Amino acid sequence: MQALFRRLLKFSLVVLYFFRQGIVTIFSWKRSLLHPESFPVGRVFRDQGRQSVSILIFRWTISTDHRAMVSWKGIYFVLALFLGSFFGSIFMLGPFLPLMFISPAWYRWITDCVVATWLTLPVALLEMVFGAKVVVTGDGFVPGERSVIIMNHRTRMDWMFLWNCLLRYSYLRLEKICLKSSLKSIPGFANTKARSNEFAEKNGLQKYEYVLHPRTTGFTFVVERLREGDNLDAIHDITVAYPQNIPQTEKHLLNGNFPKEIHFHVQRYPIETVPSSKEELQLWCRKRWEEKEERLRHFYEDGKCFSATGQSIIPPCKSELRVLTVKCISLLYWTVFPLGMLVLLYLYSFARWYFAAMIIFFVVQQKIFGGLELIELACHQYFRKQQKLHNTKIKNN
């Protein structure tokens, strides 16, 4: 019994070590996003008694409240997300890695599906466990459409809260977030130019939603790249607002300060109505942000709602009953799955060897190649080149 207890204690310490390292890593690179050299200086204005900085394309608010203590809600939220993503990467994504070298398109489709299952977890936690209310108004999304989403930054967590909106329109699997090029060295983020070339390929499998918190340069670049291959149907301009409490950073979530309400207002612009030249596109983007600022001003001054109906013009693909079912299944699965993997590692030596091998692989490939996404891009480009050579030989014959 003592030997059994010692083995369990050692394994728990290892898991806690990886958890601590993951949290330190997340907070370190998240803090780097707020470096003053990263953004241009804009005008200062007041919003609900908080001092905010209005930047060229997005809006960022700085919080000064550090008095709250860490709560069990925050610990549960962070622990659930970390263990789910950690064991999901090892035991759900890991077995499909060889498929990358055989069929990159199918590998991408499968990994998108696996990741989408995890993305439902923060949605379920926010709405079912912490009671957040989500309201979507405006145009909504057309199912199956390829589009670029531009959205304001009200907090550092807007990108995660957006998943609550996208789930209702079945877009979680298709979402791709584009960030500034200086972040490409962070694990999990890829080069925008290479990614846009890959995803613009019409392989019959993918239709993506790009999410931008852009400056005009990033916005115009992505739109131009996607337009080259006629792979863009629309641009969705999303305005996000919080009528009650506004958690600014991950620290606020760790303190248990979860948003009570999240409002999304969606405006759809068919690509035919969007300017094609770079200069006109930049002006168009600036105009949208001027409208967004005015919309936010009316939101906070006139009843804290974007629309009196509280509904979108295009109804969600999923009914609220279906959304509730997805959230329940997600909570159940991502609660049982990490526990099951812990038991598997404890009981079977082959699971521990596989676990160790995958950890070593992820660390080594990051050091040598700079990220798994770069290996995937190289495979995609190789197969695309081979396909072109094959088509050329057929034409010559």
Side-chain angles (χ1 to χ4, degrees), residues 360-373 375:
I360 294 173
F361 169 78
F362 280 118
V363 172
V364 170
Q365 63 84 23
Q366 181 68 36
K367 294 291 185 181
I368 297 177
F369 300 105
L372 194 62
E373 69 281 354
I375 302 177

Side-chain angles (χ1 to χ4, degrees), residues 57-214:
I57 296 302
F58 58 85
R59 182 167 139 198
W60 200 285
T61 303
I62 302 172
S63 173
T64 57
D65 184 10
H66 302 286
R67 293 172 295 177
M69 301 298 291
V70 174
S71 73
W72 70 267
K73 292 182 179 180
I75 294 175
Y76 170 61
F77 184 75
V78 173
L79 189 63
L81 295 188
F82 174 78
L83 291 179
S85 61
F86 181 72
F87 286 114
S89 299
I90 301 297
F91 292 102
M92 294 177 67
L93 293 179
F96 291 104
L97 286 175
L99 185 60
M100 182 197 308
F101 305 98
I102 301 173
S103 176
W106 278 105
Y107 168 79
R108 170 50 46 192
W109 184 84
I110 291 173
T111 53
D112 282 347
C113 292
V114 172
V115 171
T117 62
W118 179 83
L119 296 181
T120 61
L121 176 59
V123 175
L125 290 173
L126 285 172
E127 295 186 28
M128 296 188 65
V129 179
F130 306 122
K133 177 184 177 182
V134 177
V135 179
V136 182
T137 58
D139 296 331
F141 295 85
V142 177
E145 199 168 52
R146 301 161 298 183
S147 72
V148 169
I149 296 174
I150 56 175
M151 190 175 78
N152 62 304
H153 253 321
R154 187 60 184 83
T155 78
R156 275 169 52 174
M157 309 306 298
D158 297 316
W159 53 272
M160 182 173 67
F161 300 149
L162 178 62
W163 297 338
N164 296 68
C165 173
L166 296 181
L167 172 63
R168 289 162 166 78
Y169 287 91
S170 299
Y171 271 122
L172 276 185
R173 184 179 65 82
L174 307 176
E175 177 204 28
K176 302 297 170 189
I177 301 177
C178 301
L179 302 170
K180 56 187 297 187
S181 60
S182 60
L183 300 178
K184 65 183 179 182
S185 61
I186 298 174
F189 299 134
N191 182 274
T192 302
K193 181 177 180 180
R195 276 294 186 189
S196 60
N197 285 334
E198 175 192 358
F199 296 141
E201 293 291 318
K202 289 187 176 179
N203 53 23
L205 291 177
Q206 311 288 357
K207 288 187 177 180
Y208 286 98
E209 289 275 349
Y210 288 81
V211 181
L212 301 177
H213 300 288

